[in-house]
Amino acid sequence: MRRARGRALPGAVAALCRALPPRARPAPDTLRRARFDRPQASSHCWRLLCSLLKQVHGGKWTEPDAIDIQIRFIKSVLWYHGYGRPELYRLPSDGSAGSRELLLAFSWLLHRISLLEQLLARNRVRTGDETSVCTCEDDLTNSQKGRTEIAPEYSLEDKVDVRYLQWLHGRLRFQWRSLHALHQEQSKLLHKIHLFTSGSHMDKILGHFSVTETELIRQPENYKQLLQFLESETMQLEAFLEWKQLEQVYWHWMETVLDDMAEEGSMCKSQDAHTMKSMLPKGDSCCHWAGSLVGKIDRLSRDLMTVHDQLQELVTHRKSAWYEKVKTREEELQKEEFCAAARKTQEAVELKLLDLTYHCAPKKPKMHGSCRLVFRSKHSASKTGFGRSVSKEPISTVSATEVIRELQMRKASLERELKQLQEECRQRMDEIAEGLDGVICISP
């Protein structure tokens, strides 16, 4: 059985490499060298991960950056996805080592975030006008369960100025508005193309040309380039199917890599333990040193008992003063602020009821994924309807009004949640301000 797996392993690794995008496609020998932690494979593995992760996160292929910039980017993205091996974050920033650690990280991405499927979906040739539709609710608690607490030393431990964060927030809002304006302009141009080419397509369901089809009509010589892209995508899909058949062989190979790393780690630990044991002093030579240490420990214990008694008296005095303050505050609330507290409680109850009504409403199947944009005029909509088709096989369609209505409901829910969180933060700030002497806080 092992010999059969050994013979199938080169085919699995080759299929995996051919299923990757052409610009980021590594040589199969690179992964085999990384299995033995060869230094000459480290730079290739860093470039491979950098190119793949940039494509996953929506970036286009560009010329490779400096090696330290690539390593910083890879470590931050892997930490974001929850990769928890501290050995990777300790790798040097010159890219001279760590090929086997990078092989483990690459394999972890294959399984954790379905790396191949995401790359095939992002890099596929789009002949039609498409848009992404998502009305799923983001569950932050579930999405952050797998996050690791190990952060790269350059990202989370550094202190950041609040003014810099405010500047980043303003810049993000400006870019968001610019992106929204670009999307509006793109929608207007798509509407013009769909309207002017309406009734020209052979497919009666579509009835109009897409941007790619319109470009091919204007410049027919570009069909050769489109054909090359389609052939390349077909080869990637064939390699992906071959990879799915040989995937188990690859994972068995990765198990042997983990076993080898575990054996090397245990050998290193045994060597360190032997070294520490040899460094310990002899028993005869440390008797006097141990006796003096016991005397110091006794003196420290007596000092700690004295400090403990003093702290106990101080805590008792502070508790009595705090209880008096709380009692006075409760009387003031009962006399003066009872109406305000009741009003806040009523608002909180209304928010809870609204959320309960929203969550208990019958759930429709959430829309998620890529959809092709199809122009439907009022005349054609009255004939076929948005949910019907003139062909024999029905095609599921989604109207823009349904998506807008769903997003508006989601927006209302998020606004209610934001209001509730703001109220909780305001109450917490008031509690903190009460404990500060000589400080006056005015709420906005």
Side-chain angles (χ1 to χ4, degrees):
M1 187 66 180
R2 290 183 178 177
R3 290 181 179 178
R5 289 176 183 171
R7 288 193 297 267
L9 178 61
V13 175
L16 173 61
C17 294
R18 284 188 284 108
L20 293 173
R23 291 186 179 274
R25 188 172 297 164
D29 291 338
T30 301
L31 301 184
R32 299 193 193 101
R33 292 173 183 172
R35 183 251 187 277
F36 298 103
D37 203 15
R38 299 293 171 79
Q40 57 268 26
S42 300
S43 59
H44 298 286
C45 291
W46 284 116
R47 285 196 294 268
L48 170 65
L49 277 181
C50 182
S51 177
L52 295 179
L53 291 176
K54 278 188 176 182
Q55 294 183 49
V56 166
H57 287 269
K60 297 182 179 179
W61 189 90
T62 56
E63 292 296 328
D65 300 322
I67 187 65
D68 55 339
I69 299 176
Q70 295 182 22
I71 292 175
R72 268 202 310 271
F73 171 74
I74 292 169
K75 288 181 178 180
S76 61
V77 174
L78 285 173
W79 173 82
Y80 170 78
H81 286 292
Y83 188 70
R85 274 187 66 86
E87 288 82 359
L88 182 131
Y89 300 108
R90 299 192 191 111
L91 292 177
S93 60
D94 57 355
S96 60
S99 58
R100 187 161 54 185
E101 286 293 335
L102 296 175
L103 176 61
L104 287 178
F106 171 70
S107 303
W108 183 85
L109 289 170
L110 286 178
H111 173 72
R112 181 61 181 268
I113 66 172
S114 301
L115 181 64
L116 281 182
E117 288 81 351
Q118 288 198 39
L119 291 173
L120 287 173
R122 288 185 176 274
N123 296 324
R124 69 185 182 89
V125 180
R126 291 174 173 82
T127 57
D129 301 326
E130 298 180 358
T131 185
S132 58
V133 178
C134 180
T135 58
C136 302
E137 297 182 5
D138 297 330
D139 193 354
L140 296 179
T141 57
N142 293 332
S143 63
Q144 293 178 353
K145 282 183 179 179
R147 298 290 176 83
T148 176
E149 296 299 329
I150 302 174
E153 58 183 3
Y154 52 83
S155 60
L156 293 184
E157 294 181 0
D158 297 339
K159 294 183 180 179
V160 181
D161 193 356
V162 177
R163 292 172 294 182
Y164 177 68
L165 295 178
Q166 291 176 346
W167 176 79
L168 286 179
H169 181 259
R171 183 180 179 184
L172 181 62
R173 291 187 64 181
F174 174 75
Q175 292 180 350
W176 182 262
R177 291 175 182 175
S178 302
L179 181 63
H180 180 65
L182 290 175
H183 275 292
Q184 285 183 329
E185 186 66 23
Q186 182 185 18
S187 300
K188 293 179 181 178
L189 296 176
L190 283 176
H191 179 265
K192 288 183 179 180
I193 294 176
H194 295 171
L195 181 62
F196 292 158
T197 60
S198 179
S200 303
H201 205 283
M202 294 178 62
D203 191 349
K204 298 301 180 183
I205 300 175
L206 299 176
H208 58 79
F209 293 141
S210 64
V211 174
T212 304
E213 293 167 342
T214 307
E215 187 67 21
L216 287 177
I217 293 174
R218 295 179 58 190
Q219 299 178 355
E221 63 275 6
N222 291 340
Y223 82 94
K224 293 183 179 179
Q225 185 179 8
L226 178 62
L227 185 60
Q228 291 177 357
F229 290 153
L230 291 173
E231 290 176 350
S232 176
E233 183 180 3
T234 303
M235 294 174 59
Q236 278 187 260
L237 292 174
E238 291 175 351
F240 177 74
L241 293 177
E242 184 181 354
W243 153 255
K244 297 304 289 184
Q245 295 176 357
L246 301 174
E247 185 177 4
Q248 292 301 323
V249 179
Y250 179 83
W251 294 120
H252 285 298
W253 180 59
M254 289 306 301
E255 288 178 2
T256 61
V257 176
L258 289 174
D259 294 338
D260 294 343
M261 295 183 70
E263 291 178 2
E264 292 179 4
S266 61
M267 290 176 60
C268 292
K269 288 182 180 179
S270 62
Q271 292 177 0
D272 294 341
H274 179 71
T275 304
M276 291 298 296
K277 187 176 180 180
S278 63
M279 292 174 62
L280 290 175
K282 301 294 183 180
D284 296 336
S285 61
C286 63
C287 293
H288 179 70
W289 171 77
S292 61
L293 181 61
V294 170
K296 293 180 180 178
I297 291 175
D298 291 337
R299 287 195 298 272
L300 288 175
S301 300
R302 289 193 296 269
D303 294 340
L304 286 175
M305 290 298 297
T306 304
V307 174
H308 179 269
D309 295 337
Q310 295 176 357
L311 288 176
Q312 194 67 29
E313 294 178 0
L314 182 61
V315 167
T316 303
H317 177 70
R318 290 287 179 89
K319 278 186 177 180
S320 60
W322 179 253
Y323 287 150
E324 292 294 333
K325 186 176 181 180
V326 170
K327 185 177 180 180
T328 305
R329 185 60 179 169
E330 287 178 352
E331 293 176 356
E332 292 177 356
L333 283 174
Q334 290 178 357
K335 293 179 181 179
E336 300 176 0
E337 300 182 357
F338 178 76
C339 296
R343 193 181 306 109
K344 291 181 180 179
T345 304
Q346 184 179 1
E347 292 177 356
V349 170
E350 290 178 355
L351 287 174
K352 290 289 185 182
L353 288 176
L354 288 173
D355 291 337
L356 185 62
T357 304
Y358 174 76
H359 289 296
C360 293
K363 298 294 183 182
K364 297 181 180 179
K366 299 298 181 180
M367 294 170 283
H368 181 81
S370 181
C371 300
R372 179 162 184 171
L373 293 173
V374 179
F375 176 72
R376 288 286 182 267
S377 62
K378 296 181 180 180
H379 181 69
S380 61
S382 62
K383 286 184 178 181
T384 61
F386 284 105
R388 298 180 181 179
S389 174
V390 296
S391 63
K392 296 180 180 180
E393 297 181 359
I395 298 177
S396 59
T397 59
V398 179
S399 63
T401 55
E402 294 177 2
V403 178
I404 293 173
R405 190 183 306 112
E406 192 73 22
L407 292 176
Q408 286 176 348
M409 294 176 61
R410 180 62 179 152
K411 177 184 176 183
S413 176
L414 290 175
E415 286 179 349
R416 290 193 297 268
E417 185 178 356
L418 176 62
K419 186 177 181 181
Q420 183 178 0
L421 292 175
Q422 287 177 344
E423 186 63 27
E424 293 177 359
C425 291
R426 190 176 294 109
Q427 293 177 2
R428 179 61 179 162
M429 292 291 291
D430 293 340
E431 293 175 0
I432 295 174
E434 289 178 358
L436 300 175
D437 297 333
V439 177
I440 301 176
C441 295
I442 302 175
S443 60

